[in-house]
Amino acid sequence: MKKSSSTPNCSGCPCRLISVFTTLEKEEIAIVEKNKSCIEIKKGERIFEQGEFPRGLFVVNKGKLKVVRTGSEGKEQIVHLAKDGDIMGYRAILGHDKYSCSGIALENSILCFIPSEIFISLIEKNGKLALNIIKLFSNELKEAEKNIANIAQKSVRERMAQTLLLIKGTYGFEADKKTLNVKITRDDFAGIAGTTRETATRVLQDFFEEKIIDLKEKKIKIINDSKLLETAKFFDK
């Protein structure tokens, strides 16, 4: 992790306009601009560690990251995927608690860091920002509840199909409109779907043989959307 050689300007930053900070007034933007710092992290690097106390908020300026919770036996469960404009670590700050998860880069990324006291001050003064944070927390809680239900009630095959759709919804496609715009390891697939690496690899191979997806190194191309949706059983939602 190192300080970024270039610091994005908050007032004209496209990521701010798709983040919870879109409601900030000019004076508040200036406060963030004055107090923030920007960092570059490499693929696989951790930006915060489960069990540590937070010092501030991380905002994804450019990149892809995963939020991971490690169990007592050392097994990692991916609880969230982050992209441009997302914020990370806000629950620990607002709860005056330790991080319940770790943040890890899926690729080389750039993040902005806002000290905790600045972040809390903005929430206290800007009701629209506070509402955005509440909505974000509500959506993440809903997704967490859904994931718990899926692990208990869905087959591994269904969960793997849902994982592919989740990645598609988060990071989108490359220019061909079929290849997922991120490299995900088999361990990460297992961590999202709540299974083992071996099982995740086997199910992906099954999807390949059924011509639902195409596999090329660490890239995955979705070639049959309707079959993938059917496998995920989203039609009974």
Side-chain angles (χ1 to χ4, degrees):
M1 185 183 302
K2 67 175 183 178
K3 188 174 181 179
S4 177
S5 56
S6 61
T7 302
N9 184 285
C10 292
S11 59
C13 179
C15 286
R16 183 183 66 81
L17 299 178
I18 59 173
S19 76
V20 296
F21 295 110
T22 186
T23 61
L24 293 186
E25 302 292 341
K26 288 183 178 180
E27 297 79 6
E28 295 168 330
I29 294 173
I31 291 172
V32 173
E33 191 78 63
K34 180 180 178 181
N35 291 277
K36 76 174 185 184
S37 58
C38 293
I39 55 175
E40 296 179 5
I41 58 171
K42 295 186 179 298
K43 177 181 177 180
E45 194 171 358
R46 293 174 181 251
I47 59 169
F48 57 85
E49 192 77 42
Q50 181 175 326
E52 294 179 346
F53 280 103
R55 297 180 296 106
L57 182 77
F58 293 95
V59 185
V60 184
N61 178 261
K62 184 178 180 180
K64 301 177 178 71
L65 302 99
K66 60 182 177 179
V67 179
V68 175
R69 183 172 179 85
T70 305
S72 57
E73 297 180 356
K75 184 177 181 180
E76 292 186 347
Q77 178 76 41
I78 297 177
V79 298
H80 182 65
L81 295 173
K83 61 184 184 305
D84 296 3
D86 286 352
I87 63 173
M88 305 176 69
Y90 73 96
R91 292 194 302 274
I93 295 172
L94 296 178
H96 301 285
D97 200 0
K98 298 176 181 178
Y99 289 121
S100 60
C101 303
S102 301
I104 306 171
L106 288 170
E107 65 179 31
N108 294 349
S109 304
I110 299 175
L111 297 99
C112 295
F113 176 81
I114 302 172
S116 296
E117 60 272 17
I118 300 298
F119 176 54
I120 293 174
S121 175
L122 291 171
I123 293 175
E124 291 174 342
K125 296 175 182 177
N126 189 315
K128 291 181 180 179
L129 172 60
L131 184 58
N132 284 345
I133 297 293
I134 292 171
K135 288 179 179 178
L136 177 61
F137 181 78
S138 176
N139 288 335
E140 290 187 359
L141 180 59
K142 180 175 67 175
E143 288 302 312
E145 291 171 345
K146 186 189 298 183
N147 289 339
I148 292 171
N150 284 343
I151 290 175
Q153 301 171 13
K154 299 276 188 179
S155 68
V156 173
R157 181 180 169 87
E158 291 166 349
R159 298 201 305 271
M160 284 293 292
Q162 289 178 352
T163 295
L164 285 165
L165 292 170
L166 170 65
I167 295 169
K168 169 190 169 183
T170 304
Y171 297 128
F173 289 129
E174 294 184 354
D176 64 1
K177 304 298 182 183
K178 291 185 177 181
T179 304
L180 294 176
N181 189 30
V182 64
K183 292 182 179 179
I184 297 286
T185 67
R186 300 301 184 259
D187 284 325
D188 284 339
F189 264 107
I192 298 171
T195 187
T196 64
R197 184 185 190 281
E198 292 74 19
T199 300
T201 301
R202 175 178 55 78
V203 174
L204 286 174
Q205 184 62 32
D206 290 343
F207 288 169
F208 170 74
E209 292 173 0
E210 294 166 28
K211 293 182 169 50
I212 297 175
I213 62 173
D214 189 20
L215 299 171
K216 188 175 182 181
E217 297 178 351
K218 292 183 180 179
K219 289 285 188 177
I220 294 179
K221 181 183 292 185
I222 297 176
I223 57 178
N224 193 330
D225 288 277
S226 58
K227 182 65 175 178
L228 184 62
L229 283 166
E230 180 183 341
T231 304
K233 293 194 173 178
F234 275 171
F235 56 84
D236 32 302
K237 294 252 179 224

